[in-house]
Amino acid sequence: MSRNPERKYRVVTSFQRRIGNPLLKRLPIQTLLETTGRKSGLPRRTPVGGRLVGREFWFVSEYGGRSQYVRNIQADPRVRVRVRGRWYTGTAHVMPEDDARARLRTLPRFNSAAVRAMGAGLTTVRVDLTD
């Protein structure tokens, strides 16, 4: 991709917003993160790749605090996650102190490769599931 990180960010997020995410959200097996829009108050669903570990769901945000869903989490950490077709409620925690690159090695390989290739400012997110 580009050597210019700002251009890379604009290209990747534009593609995800217009093409990638709308297609992926329709797949019944796709893992989804549902946050509450910090301005609208409406549910916002974003495809993510992560792993359920006991009562926690872990994933890595490609753009950390620049990601809209991370900003939504910071405003209201109550979220829902759809894993293998089942919805769970929980509380999300943005974890900048966690080694996101090391965390990606423990998550699904295909998604992790895409996050490493496209992302800048990787940030780990943990969701503590309540049901």
Side-chain angles (χ1 to χ4, degrees):
M1 176 115 310
S2 169
R3 289 188 197 322
N4 179 336
E6 185 59 31
R7 181 166 185 259
K8 180 179 178 180
Y9 170 79
R10 285 194 317 270
V11 168
V12 170
T13 56
S14 180
F15 172 80
Q16 288 173 333
R17 189 175 311 119
R18 291 181 173 90
I19 299 167
N21 290 356
L23 291 173
L24 289 173
K25 284 193 276 191
R26 294 173 193 242
L27 298 175
I29 60 166
Q30 175 64 49
T31 301
L32 295 177
L33 172 70
E34 184 180 85
T35 60
T36 300
R38 64 192 177 283
K39 294 179 184 178
S40 70
L42 298 173
R44 301 295 184 197
R45 290 183 177 173
T46 306
V48 295
R51 176 159 284 142
L52 195 56
V53 180
R55 299 298 303 155
E56 300 170 337
F57 181 78
W58 292 85
F59 67 99
V60 173
S61 169
E62 288 174 314
Y63 290 104
R66 291 186 79 180
S67 296
Q68 297 302 315
Y69 63 84
V70 170
R71 292 167 145 189
N72 290 343
I73 287 168
Q74 291 169 330
D76 182 354
R78 295 171 299 170
V79 300
R80 292 191 329 144
V81 181
R82 185 179 77 183
V83 181
R84 293 184 214 105
R86 179 172 176 219
W87 284 100
Y88 299 86
T89 59
T91 304
H93 306 276
V94 179
M95 306 184 66
E97 70 283 356
D98 191 68
D99 182 345
R101 290 201 177 275
R103 180 70 55 191
L104 283 171
R105 289 192 287 275
T106 70
L107 301 177
R109 202 176 283 171
F110 179 75
N111 180 264
S112 294
V115 169
R116 268 192 299 277
M118 300 298 169
L122 304 178
T123 303
T124 301
V125 178
R126 183 190 79 226
V127 178
D128 297 331
L129 304 174
T130 57
D131 70 338

